[in-house]
Amino acid sequence: MGAVKKIAVLSVQGAFAEQEKRIEDLGAECIEIRQKADLMQDFDGMILPGGESTVQGKLLTELGMLEPLRDRIRSGLPVLGTCAGLILLAGELGGGEHGWLGTLPVRVRRNAYGRQLGSFHVREVFQGIGRIPMTFIRAPYVESVTEGVEILATVDNRIVAVRYANQIGIAFHPELDEDESIHKMFLSICL
Ligand code: GLN
């Protein structure tokens, strides 16, 4: 693989264009993943963007992408899931909803802040980075983690960012704030 990192961005629904801009601004190349065949290419990491997890999950199922994607993640592909992307990765969803990829051993609750708090902005500490802006939009949070999952950030005692080996799941939208540190950190694990 060349010096320029190639990052695949799931582009079936949601905020994928914003993620691509971030990655390209940092000097990496993006490829859009819209169908199963796109997953057969070579790339160094993958971003699952925010959006609507139910729509994304159904599309991944219909397009036959759920299994190949799950296999690539299980075999070590670095992946960053933000908001809906975190929901897609979750091993379990609270409230009896069924999950999708199920590769990240945490339980995630969707739309977890209620309607009034649907969107909000804070500055909080992210492990290994420091205090950064965090924008939440009808966000989920992580209700519980299993052994081996590292907690990277909490807001009001709720877990909003985790890492499990090659998988990073974040409840907020780092692509909507100016701070580039999350994308830089992600690129650094995409070898
Ligand atoms: N509420 C959305 C869902 O359940 C996630 C929102 C987001 O990605 N900003 O999928």
mmCIF file of all heavy atoms in Angstrom, residues 49-56 82-85 87 97 110-111 136-140 171 173, ligand 1:
data_model
loop_
_atom_site.group_PDB
_atom_site.id
_atom_site.type_symbol
_atom_site.label_atom_id
_atom_site.label_comp_id
_atom_site.label_asym_id
_atom_site.label_seq_id
_atom_site.Cartn_x
_atom_site.Cartn_y
_atom_site.Cartn_z
ATOM 1 N N PRO A 49 -20.727 6.732 8.935
ATOM 2 C CA PRO A 49 -21.124 8.086 9.336
ATOM 3 C C PRO A 49 -22.427 8.120 10.132
ATOM 4 O O PRO A 49 -23.146 7.119 10.223
ATOM 5 C CB PRO A 49 -21.317 8.784 7.988
ATOM 6 C CG PRO A 49 -21.784 7.707 7.083
ATOM 7 C CD PRO A 49 -21.087 6.450 7.536
ATOM 8 N N GLY A 50 -22.743 9.317 10.636
ATOM 9 C CA GLY A 50 -24.027 9.537 11.287
ATOM 10 C C GLY A 50 -25.133 9.583 10.255
ATOM 11 O O GLY A 50 -24.888 9.704 9.053
ATOM 12 N N GLY A 51 -26.333 9.484 10.745
ATOM 13 C CA GLY A 51 -27.494 9.468 9.861
ATOM 14 C C GLY A 51 -28.621 8.763 10.569
ATOM 15 O O GLY A 51 -28.851 9.002 11.756
ATOM 16 N N GLU A 52 -29.253 7.864 9.893
ATOM 17 C CA GLU A 52 -30.354 7.108 10.501
ATOM 18 C C GLU A 52 -29.984 5.630 10.461
ATOM 19 O O GLU A 52 -29.981 5.018 9.404
ATOM 20 C CB GLU A 52 -31.644 7.421 9.725
ATOM 21 C CG GLU A 52 -32.894 6.878 10.340
ATOM 22 C CD GLU A 52 -33.040 7.189 11.822
ATOM 23 O OE1 GLU A 52 -32.936 8.366 12.210
ATOM 24 O OE2 GLU A 52 -33.243 6.233 12.605
ATOM 25 N N SER A 53 -29.687 5.085 11.631
ATOM 26 C CA SER A 53 -29.155 3.721 11.674
ATOM 27 C C SER A 53 -30.134 2.687 11.124
ATOM 28 O O SER A 53 -29.713 1.697 10.516
ATOM 29 C CB SER A 53 -28.753 3.356 13.102
ATOM 30 O OG SER A 53 -29.855 3.491 13.966
ATOM 31 N N THR A 54 -31.429 2.917 11.344
ATOM 32 C CA THR A 54 -32.403 1.923 10.872
ATOM 33 C C THR A 54 -32.388 1.874 9.341
ATOM 34 O O THR A 54 -32.386 0.783 8.748
ATOM 35 C CB THR A 54 -33.817 2.295 11.379
ATOM 36 O OG1 THR A 54 -33.712 2.578 12.772
ATOM 37 C CG2 THR A 54 -34.791 1.174 11.174
ATOM 38 N N VAL A 55 -32.329 3.051 8.717
ATOM 39 C CA VAL A 55 -32.279 3.107 7.250
ATOM 40 C C VAL A 55 -30.968 2.486 6.753
ATOM 41 O O VAL A 55 -30.952 1.650 5.851
ATOM 42 C CB VAL A 55 -32.396 4.577 6.768
ATOM 43 C CG1 VAL A 55 -32.231 4.666 5.259
ATOM 44 C CG2 VAL A 55 -33.725 5.170 7.210
ATOM 45 N N GLN A 56 -29.867 2.876 7.383
ATOM 46 C CA GLN A 56 -28.559 2.350 6.955
ATOM 47 C C GLN A 56 -28.497 0.828 7.130
ATOM 48 O O GLN A 56 -28.015 0.110 6.256
ATOM 49 C CB GLN A 56 -27.437 3.003 7.756
ATOM 50 C CG GLN A 56 -27.298 4.494 7.479
ATOM 51 C CD GLN A 56 -26.140 5.125 8.244
ATOM 52 O OE1 GLN A 56 -25.364 4.436 8.898
ATOM 53 N NE2 GLN A 56 -26.016 6.435 8.160
ATOM 54 N N THR A 82 -19.566 6.865 13.851
ATOM 55 C CA THR A 82 -20.039 8.029 14.585
ATOM 56 C C THR A 82 -21.566 8.004 14.599
ATOM 57 O O THR A 82 -22.198 7.848 13.571
ATOM 58 C CB THR A 82 -19.552 9.348 13.948
ATOM 59 O OG1 THR A 82 -20.061 9.465 12.638
ATOM 60 C CG2 THR A 82 -18.037 9.405 13.897
ATOM 61 N N CYS A 83 -22.102 8.166 15.780
ATOM 62 C CA CYS A 83 -23.549 8.287 15.977
ATOM 63 C C CYS A 83 -24.291 7.074 15.383
ATOM 64 O O CYS A 83 -24.215 5.997 15.938
ATOM 65 C CB CYS A 83 -24.013 9.625 15.424
ATOM 66 S SG CYS A 83 -25.489 10.186 16.240
ATOM 67 N N ALA A 84 -24.971 7.218 14.241
ATOM 68 C CA ALA A 84 -25.629 6.055 13.659
ATOM 69 C C ALA A 84 -24.615 4.935 13.407
ATOM 70 O O ALA A 84 -24.938 3.745 13.534
ATOM 71 C CB ALA A 84 -26.337 6.436 12.364
ATOM 72 N N GLY A 85 -23.377 5.311 13.076
ATOM 73 C CA GLY A 85 -22.324 4.320 12.844
ATOM 74 C C GLY A 85 -22.005 3.527 14.101
ATOM 75 O O GLY A 85 -21.748 2.317 14.045
ATOM 76 N N ILE A 87 -24.193 2.933 16.408
ATOM 77 C CA ILE A 87 -25.366 2.051 16.573
ATOM 78 C C ILE A 87 -25.211 0.812 15.678
ATOM 79 O O ILE A 87 -25.492 -0.309 16.102
ATOM 80 C CB ILE A 87 -26.668 2.818 16.244
ATOM 81 C CG1 ILE A 87 -26.853 3.979 17.230
ATOM 82 C CG2 ILE A 87 -27.883 1.893 16.264
ATOM 83 C CD1 ILE A 87 -27.914 5.000 16.838
ATOM 84 N N GLU A 97 -34.340 -3.510 20.799
ATOM 85 C CA GLU A 97 -34.176 -3.367 19.344
ATOM 86 C C GLU A 97 -33.104 -4.343 18.868
ATOM 87 O O GLU A 97 -32.176 -4.654 19.600
ATOM 88 C CB GLU A 97 -33.699 -1.958 19.009
ATOM 89 C CG GLU A 97 -34.725 -0.894 19.248
ATOM 90 C CD GLU A 97 -34.216 0.430 18.696
ATOM 91 O OE1 GLU A 97 -34.329 0.633 17.487
ATOM 92 O OE2 GLU A 97 -33.697 1.223 19.476
ATOM 93 N N ARG A 110 -30.416 4.051 21.623
ATOM 94 C CA ARG A 110 -30.676 5.083 20.600
ATOM 95 C C ARG A 110 -31.499 6.230 21.155
ATOM 96 O O ARG A 110 -32.259 6.043 22.093
ATOM 97 C CB ARG A 110 -31.457 4.489 19.429
ATOM 98 C CG ARG A 110 -30.704 3.464 18.641
ATOM 99 C CD ARG A 110 -31.600 2.917 17.547
ATOM 100 N NE ARG A 110 -31.980 3.968 16.613
ATOM 101 C CZ ARG A 110 -33.173 4.027 16.007
ATOM 102 N NH1 ARG A 110 -34.098 3.126 16.250
ATOM 103 N NH2 ARG A 110 -33.434 5.000 15.164
ATOM 104 N N ASN A 111 -31.374 7.379 20.517
ATOM 105 C CA ASN A 111 -32.182 8.567 20.842
ATOM 106 C C ASN A 111 -32.298 8.715 22.356
ATOM 107 O O ASN A 111 -33.383 8.871 22.910
ATOM 108 C CB ASN A 111 -33.561 8.463 20.189
ATOM 109 C CG ASN A 111 -33.434 8.374 18.678
ATOM 110 O OD1 ASN A 111 -32.520 8.953 18.096
ATOM 111 N ND2 ASN A 111 -34.320 7.646 18.045
ATOM 112 N N PHE A 136 -23.849 16.731 19.558
ATOM 113 C CA PHE A 136 -24.729 15.560 19.621
ATOM 114 C C PHE A 136 -26.026 15.877 18.882
ATOM 115 O O PHE A 136 -26.627 16.921 19.105
ATOM 116 C CB PHE A 136 -25.055 15.235 21.082
ATOM 117 C CG PHE A 136 -23.866 14.769 21.874
ATOM 118 C CD1 PHE A 136 -22.968 15.680 22.422
ATOM 119 C CD2 PHE A 136 -23.632 13.416 22.067
ATOM 120 C CE1 PHE A 136 -21.863 15.250 23.155
ATOM 121 C CE2 PHE A 136 -22.536 12.972 22.798
ATOM 122 C CZ PHE A 136 -21.653 13.889 23.347
ATOM 123 N N ILE A 137 -26.441 14.985 18.011
ATOM 124 C CA ILE A 137 -27.702 15.169 17.282
ATOM 125 C C ILE A 137 -28.514 13.890 17.409
ATOM 126 O O ILE A 137 -28.149 12.854 16.853
ATOM 127 C CB ILE A 137 -27.448 15.477 15.789
ATOM 128 C CG1 ILE A 137 -26.570 16.728 15.647
ATOM 129 C CG2 ILE A 137 -28.770 15.667 15.046
ATOM 130 C CD1 ILE A 137 -26.082 16.978 14.236
ATOM 131 N N ARG A 138 -29.602 13.984 18.152
ATOM 132 C CA ARG A 138 -30.438 12.795 18.417
ATOM 133 C C ARG A 138 -29.524 11.572 18.656
ATOM 134 O O ARG A 138 -29.672 10.517 18.048
ATOM 135 C CB ARG A 138 -31.403 12.544 17.254
ATOM 136 C CG ARG A 138 -32.396 13.691 17.080
ATOM 137 C CD ARG A 138 -33.417 13.421 15.991
ATOM 138 N NE ARG A 138 -34.204 12.258 16.299
ATOM 139 C CZ ARG A 138 -34.292 11.172 15.515
ATOM 140 N NH1 ARG A 138 -33.643 11.103 14.382
ATOM 141 N NH2 ARG A 138 -35.042 10.172 15.877
ATOM 142 N N ALA A 139 -28.619 11.792 19.565
ATOM 143 C CA ALA A 139 -27.497 10.863 19.712
ATOM 144 C C ALA A 139 -27.840 9.644 20.582
ATOM 145 O O ALA A 139 -28.713 9.710 21.433
ATOM 146 C CB ALA A 139 -26.324 11.606 20.334
ATOM 147 N N PRO A 140 -27.113 8.590 20.359
ATOM 148 C CA PRO A 140 -27.180 7.441 21.267
ATOM 149 C C PRO A 140 -26.164 7.634 22.391
ATOM 150 O O PRO A 140 -25.371 8.579 22.366
ATOM 151 C CB PRO A 140 -26.746 6.293 20.369
ATOM 152 C CG PRO A 140 -25.757 6.926 19.437
ATOM 153 C CD PRO A 140 -26.196 8.354 19.245
ATOM 154 N N ALA A 171 -20.493 8.757 19.960
ATOM 155 C CA ALA A 171 -21.914 9.131 19.898
ATOM 156 C C ALA A 171 -22.141 10.481 19.242
ATOM 157 O O ALA A 171 -23.250 10.791 18.827
ATOM 158 C CB ALA A 171 -22.499 9.134 21.315
ATOM 159 N N HIS A 173 -20.690 13.972 16.655
ATOM 160 C CA HIS A 173 -20.345 14.174 15.237
ATOM 161 C C HIS A 173 -19.052 14.971 15.082
ATOM 162 O O HIS A 173 -19.094 16.181 14.867
ATOM 163 C CB HIS A 173 -21.471 14.959 14.553
ATOM 164 C CG HIS A 173 -22.658 14.135 14.204
ATOM 165 N ND1 HIS A 173 -22.848 13.572 12.964
ATOM 166 C CD2 HIS A 173 -23.713 13.771 14.942
ATOM 167 C CE1 HIS A 173 -23.968 12.897 12.954
ATOM 168 N NE2 HIS A 173 -24.523 13.003 14.137
HETATM 169 N N1 GLN B 1 -30.930 8.910 15.975
HETATM 170 C C1 GLN B 1 -30.183 8.338 14.894
HETATM 171 C C2 GLN B 1 -30.330 6.824 14.857
HETATM 172 O O1 GLN B 1 -30.941 6.261 15.681
HETATM 173 C C3 GLN B 1 -28.723 8.683 15.005
HETATM 174 C C4 GLN B 1 -28.559 10.170 14.839
HETATM 175 C C5 GLN B 1 -27.266 10.585 14.216
HETATM 176 O O2 GLN B 1 -26.566 9.802 13.562
HETATM 177 N N2 GLN B 1 -26.989 11.848 14.363
HETATM 178 O O3 GLN B 1 -29.811 6.221 13.978
#
